Amino acid sequence: MLDAVTGVQPTLERLLHLFGTIRGAPIDPAKGIYKAELIIEKPSIEVAREKLVTPGQPAGNYLSHFGMHVFSPQILIRWNNLIKNNIREKGEIQLTAAQEHLREHCEKYWVVVTQGQRYDTGIPYGLMETQLALALNGIHRTEICEAIARILAMQVKS
């Protein structure tokens, strides 16, 4: 049974403060497939260098969350435990902590290198940027572009 799959992107260490990061054991690195060995939310560079180096990644590069996950229902049990016991990291109940707890108690937690643009939906303009990117890649691209042009033209006039 598969417990979890998380999409990741190679990330420079100077950006690690923005992302959950995973140390992976290579399964098929040519295809970007690893087994998760440790998951830490927004690690410092020092912690990453000590605990999160994935074999085969260039120096200073780490596997960080892309924002795509597939979980078994067990993740809800892990997350509920964090909520019930008010277990917080950096002042928040973290999905990453639930992921690490799931990883510790499951056999198959895979990590897959994912292509594409990563957006931060945890910040107001990041959510807008994400929605805009999705809209511009959809079937209504022309209408969206026209609407953006109208909105920008009104902003310039005011």
Side-chain angles (χ1 to χ4, degrees), residues 66-86:
F66 181 73
M68 293 173 42
H69 309 279
V70 178
F71 298 120
S72 71
Q74 288 295 314
I75 193 70
L76 299 175
I77 294 167
R78 309 304 178 190
W79 208 349
N80 187 50
N81 181 57
L82 297 175
I83 294 166
K84 186 170 70 176
N85 294 298
N86 198 29

Side-chain angles (χ1 to χ4, degrees), residues 8 16 18 20 28 58 77 80 93 107 110 122 127 133 139-140:
V8 295
L16 294 181
L18 300 171
D28 189 344
I77 294 167
N80 187 50
I93 295 173
E107 189 174 316
W110 303 119
L127 180 57
I139 61 172
H140 300 291

Side-chain angles (χ1 to χ4, degrees), residues 3-62:
D3 292 298
V5 177
T6 289
V8 295
Q9 280 191 330
T11 303
L12 297 173
E13 66 183 7
R14 66 180 168 79
L15 300 174
L16 294 181
H17 68 283
L18 300 171
F19 306 105
T21 303
I22 301 175
R23 180 181 72 227
I27 301 299
D28 189 344
K31 292 183 179 175
I33 301 171
Y34 300 82
K35 183 175 183 183
E37 292 186 322
L38 181 63
I39 306 169
I40 298 177
E41 177 65 13
K42 299 176 182 164
S44 67
I45 291 172
E46 295 75 24
V47 168
R49 288 177 180 170
E50 179 184 337
K51 298 181 177 182
L52 295 170
V53 173
T54 294
Q57 288 297 305
N61 280 263
Y62 299 86

Side-chain angles (χ1 to χ4, degrees), residues 103-123:
R103 185 208 59 80
E104 288 174 338
H105 296 91
C106 74
E107 189 174 316
K108 296 178 183 170
Y109 194 123
W110 303 119
V111 179
V112 178
V113 175
T114 306
Q115 303 300 314
Q117 177 65 43
R118 177 170 46 196
Y119 298 95
D120 186 350
T121 59
I123 54 177

